[in-house]
Amino acid sequence: MSFVEYGDTIKDGDTAIVFLGHESMFPIKVQHGNVTQTKYGVIRHSTDLIGKKYGSKVTCSKGGWVFILHPTPELWTMNLPHRTQILYSTDISMITMMLELKPGSIVCESGTGSGSLSHALIRTVAPTGHLYTVEFHQQRAEKAREEFREHGVEHLVTVTNQDVCKNGFGVSNIADAVFLDIPSPWEAIGHAKSALKAEGGRICSFSPCIEQVQRTCLAMEEYGFTEINTLEILLRVYNVRTISLQIPDLGRATEDNSSAGFDSSNPSNPGSPSTNLQQGTVQFKSGVPLREMVGHTGYLTFATKS
């Protein structure tokens, strides 16, 4: 099993996603002899998982069933153990596009954190690219190495435990892109410039506060970066639901429509909304935004090495 090389069958030692529903899933490590408890009953790894195809519908001991999915960076983002705050797919998709990443790209990242963005970067630059990721916290760095090894991508990533603001990324003049997600990104801009290739490399800095963005932009200008711009990605989800509106009293026009034989409550009339003439209302399907939603996540600042 690998996050970048997809297989058909579930093997001993794989990481798999148990899918109970869109709002309910979790990762497991498949091991011979182990069992996993779910609200639908027990899943026995030896008989229910190993040797079965990914995407299979597995019946649990209580008669309910789940799907077993092959892990992807997107699914891992939704299910990973949180060691830090993470980036989600909305920001990740913009980062990979604006940094112009592709198979074979060399990327430097700091900090590694929970590895949400790291897995997406590895999948994007595979099979010939490489990710150099720096994590200040020793335990988080060791856990990241362990996860990359378990997920079959250790040959595509180098994890370094050091302070990027003092010691840099450990590479020079080879990176196509640099990503910063640290409290003081302006202190690492010089090291980022040193890590980038001679000309045309891209940099992105993620910061939750606009004051951090201001200092980072000033540092980018000082080190000669161009095309500096900052944006914020907000995801707005809509629910489709039925709403009722009163039928307006249009006087003779309403009578004319009735005399013409048009019945708006007749389902046989294509495109006409369903009506309830006794109550004087008509029902429509409409998209309505959620009453509550996640607002601010963070600012993404991009620039190009001149």
Side-chain angles (χ1 to χ4, degrees):
M1 184 278 305
S2 170
F3 273 54
V4 297
E5 298 172 358
Y6 298 99
D8 291 332
T9 59
I10 305 170
K11 298 181 178 61
D12 188 18
D14 281 3
T15 297
I17 305 297
V18 179
F19 181 89
L20 292 84
H22 290 289
E23 301 296 331
S24 179
M25 50 183 148
F26 58 89
I28 61 170
K29 184 174 182 179
V30 179
Q31 291 181 316
H32 185 78
N34 277 11
V35 297
T36 296
Q37 295 282 352
T38 74
K39 62 182 180 180
Y40 301 125
V42 172
I43 302 173
R44 296 175 175 83
H45 295 199
S46 300
T47 57
D48 297 334
L49 299 183
I50 296 176
K52 300 291 181 64
K53 287 190 175 182
Y54 278 107
S56 296
K57 185 177 179 179
V58 175
T59 302
C60 304
S61 61
K62 293 182 181 179
W65 49 267
V66 299
F67 288 105
I68 306 299
L69 305 181
H70 195 291
T72 65
E74 291 78 16
L75 288 174
W76 187 245
T77 291
M78 300 302 297
N79 294 280
L80 58 78
H82 285 231
R83 299 182 289 273
T84 60
Q85 292 289 337
I86 68 170
L87 292 178
Y88 290 92
S89 296
T90 308
D91 286 317
I92 291 172
S93 59
M94 180 61 72
I95 291 167
T96 55
M97 183 188 74
M98 294 293 286
L99 289 182
E100 302 173 3
L101 302 182
K102 59 186 182 299
S105 295
I106 306 298
V107 187
C108 292
E109 175 198 26
S110 182
T112 312
S114 301
S116 173
L117 176 64
S118 304
H119 283 82
L121 295 177
I122 291 169
R123 196 260 308 272
T124 302
V125 305
T128 56
H130 201 83
L131 171 66
Y132 295 89
T133 182
V134 178
E135 172 57 51
F136 176 78
H137 193 273
Q138 182 179 357
Q139 285 73 27
R140 288 201 292 262
E142 292 173 354
K143 186 60 179 177
R145 289 193 191 97
E146 179 184 341
E147 286 182 350
F148 293 143
R149 183 169 56 255
E150 290 179 351
H151 298 165
V153 296
E154 72 276 9
H155 61 292
L156 297 170
V157 56
T158 300
V159 182
T160 305
N161 172 219
Q162 64 186 28
D163 186 351
V164 70
C165 296
K166 296 180 179 179
N167 307 112
F169 293 93
V171 297
S172 299
N173 302 319
I174 65 170
D176 298 289
V178 170
F179 176 79
L180 298 174
D181 183 6
I182 55 178
S184 305
W186 56 89
E187 296 180 1
I189 298 299
H191 294 296
K193 183 176 181 179
S194 300
L196 287 168
K197 58 187 181 181
E199 186 177 354
R202 295 278 287 165
I203 184 174
C204 174
S205 174
F206 176 89
S207 297
C209 301
I210 195 64
E211 292 81 7
Q212 294 171 306
V213 174
Q214 292 171 333
R215 296 189 64 174
T216 302
C217 289
L218 290 174
M220 288 178 174
E221 288 184 345
E222 180 182 349
Y223 281 95
F225 283 89
T226 60
E227 299 177 338
I228 302 172
N229 65 88
T230 299
L231 50 89
E232 182 181 16
I233 311 300
L234 296 178
L235 180 65
R236 191 175 189 186
V237 179
Y238 279 77
N239 280 338
V240 177
R241 70 182 190 187
T242 301
I243 62 174
S244 297
L245 297 176
Q246 289 186 340
I247 299 175
D249 182 4
L250 301 179
R252 293 183 60 84
T254 304
E255 298 174 3
D256 293 342
N257 285 339
S258 300
S259 63
F262 177 78
D263 183 3
S264 61
S265 65
N266 189 349
S268 63
N269 290 326
S272 65
S274 62
T275 60
N276 186 335
L277 296 179
Q278 292 181 348
Q279 296 182 358
T281 61
V282 59
Q283 293 183 327
F284 292 92
K285 292 289 187 182
S286 177
V288 180
L290 301 179
R291 293 182 180 273
E292 295 182 358
M293 60 174 284
V294 176
H296 173 69
T297 56
Y299 301 101
L300 295 172
T301 300
F302 295 94
T304 303
K305 183 177 179 180
S306 176

